Amino acid sequence: MLSLHQLSKRYGPVQALKGVSFDVPAGSVFGVLGPNGSGKTTLLGIVMDVLKADAGTYAWFGQQPHHSLRRRIGALLETPNFYHYYSAIRNLQIAAAIKQRGHDDIERVLKLCGLWERKDSKFSTYSLGMKQRLAIASALLGNPEVLLLDEPTNGLDPAGIAEIRELIRELGRQGTTVIMASHLLDEVEKVCTHVAILKKGVLLTSGHVDEVLASEDMLEVSAVDNATLEKVLSAMAGLRSIRRHNGGFQVVFENGFSAEALNKHCFEQGVTLNYLALRRKSLEARFIELTN
């Protein structure tokens, strides 16, 4: 859906992006993750042709950037800006007129964003979460194939954050490709299928969330005879680490090892497990390790 190749951008002495390359698969919810100042907003600005890269290229839908492709992309890159004294419907009518598309799409996007019951309410009466959902509804006018969101839950309370998360999940389930920049690790881990992690303009890693975290999978095991279990585990190929934990062991393997395969191996070695659990480290733990 979107391909970046060696994108670089500098603001005077500050290197905002340095040779960033990754691909966004169609139908994914793709998180661009990084702390403030990592280059996320600059990256989105470049692919939306708001900013010019100093070097590198990008392509939408396998094509070089062209204004005609813009109609296939919806974006929310700033704080929602609507007429406070107009209703949701009137504000979206104005947005559709500016975009020259989506006039017949207003009912669909309001229902999708959970605002149909409040369609006639003034924007000034909306909660922060509702205002953000209306902004996303505006970006969805015309049914774009891709939706870009810059810090979509920024400034929202927990209820508003939950509303936006569920909306993004629903968009993903319906097949819309969502690209969202965020500095919130928890947000990306809960809604995204893919992630690219940036630090000071440098891409640290990218891929499917499960792949990015794969090396961090940890298995917890125990048996009645833990002494024999420890010998069996220690002799296994690809074992990276083993340590005692809560009357059993925590083990990590270099190339990943499924719980099912570990259980089978131990049984074949004469050890019956009485406890087996997968403990995947959080994206936060992975992010801290990468950035350090």
Side-chain angles (χ1 to χ4, degrees), residues 214 217-219 236-239 251-266 278:
D217 283 355
M218 178 185 299
L219 291 164
M236 291 181 66
L239 180 71
V251 291
V252 177
F253 292 89
E254 289 181 356
N255 299 315
F257 207 81
S258 71
E260 180 183 9
L262 179 61
N263 187 38
K264 179 181 179 182
H265 178 81
C266 290
L278 177 64

Side-chain angles (χ1 to χ4, degrees), residues 1-5 21-26 28 30 59 194-196 206-207:
M1 196 62 75
L2 171 65
S3 296
L4 311 181
H5 180 69
S21 302
F22 60 78
D23 297 322
V24 177
S28 64
F30 196 103
H194 296 71
V195 64
S206 67

Side-chain angles (χ1 to χ4, degrees), residues 61-73:
F61 317 107
Q63 304 175 48
Q64 293 305 306
H66 189 269
H67 66 84
S68 63
L69 300 178
R70 181 65 179 82
R71 291 179 174 271
R72 300 168 66 181
I73 306 165

Side-chain angles (χ1 to χ4, degrees), residues 49-183:
D49 203 26
V50 175
L51 298 172
K52 294 295 183 183
D54 296 332
T57 60
Y58 66 93
W60 282 107
F61 317 107
Q63 304 175 48
Q64 293 305 306
H66 189 269
H67 66 84
S68 63
L69 300 178
R70 181 65 179 82
R71 291 179 174 271
R72 300 168 66 181
I73 306 165
L76 175 58
L77 302 182
E78 298 177 346
T79 303
N81 188 18
F82 294 102
Y83 292 103
H84 286 235
Y85 45 86
Y86 280 158
S87 67
I89 279 190
R90 182 59 183 141
N91 271 300
L92 291 189
Q93 288 172 342
I94 293 170
I98 293 171
K99 295 180 179 185
Q100 298 184 351
R101 69 180 189 276
H103 294 275
D104 57 350
D105 205 22
I106 292 174
E107 180 177 346
R108 180 188 72 86
V109 298
L110 284 174
K111 287 182 176 179
L112 176 61
C113 295
L115 294 172
W116 184 246
E117 299 300 321
R118 293 288 302 276
K119 64 183 182 297
D120 296 317
S121 300
K122 292 181 179 179
F123 181 74
S124 60
T125 67
Y126 278 13
S127 67
L128 289 176
M130 293 170 69
K131 289 176 178 177
Q132 191 73 343
R133 281 187 281 145
L134 183 62
I136 293 175
S138 178
L140 289 170
L141 287 171
N143 200 21
E145 298 170 51
V146 186
L147 179 64
L148 270 72
L149 304 172
D150 189 9
E151 302 282 1
T153 62
N154 201 25
L156 300 183
D157 60 16
I161 291 173
E163 292 172 6
I164 300 303
R165 275 181 184 161
E166 183 51 39
L167 174 55
I168 292 172
R169 290 192 193 102
E170 179 58 29
L171 290 169
R173 286 192 289 266
Q174 294 190 8
T176 302
T177 301
V178 180
I179 304 172
M180 55 176 281
S182 179
H183 67 278

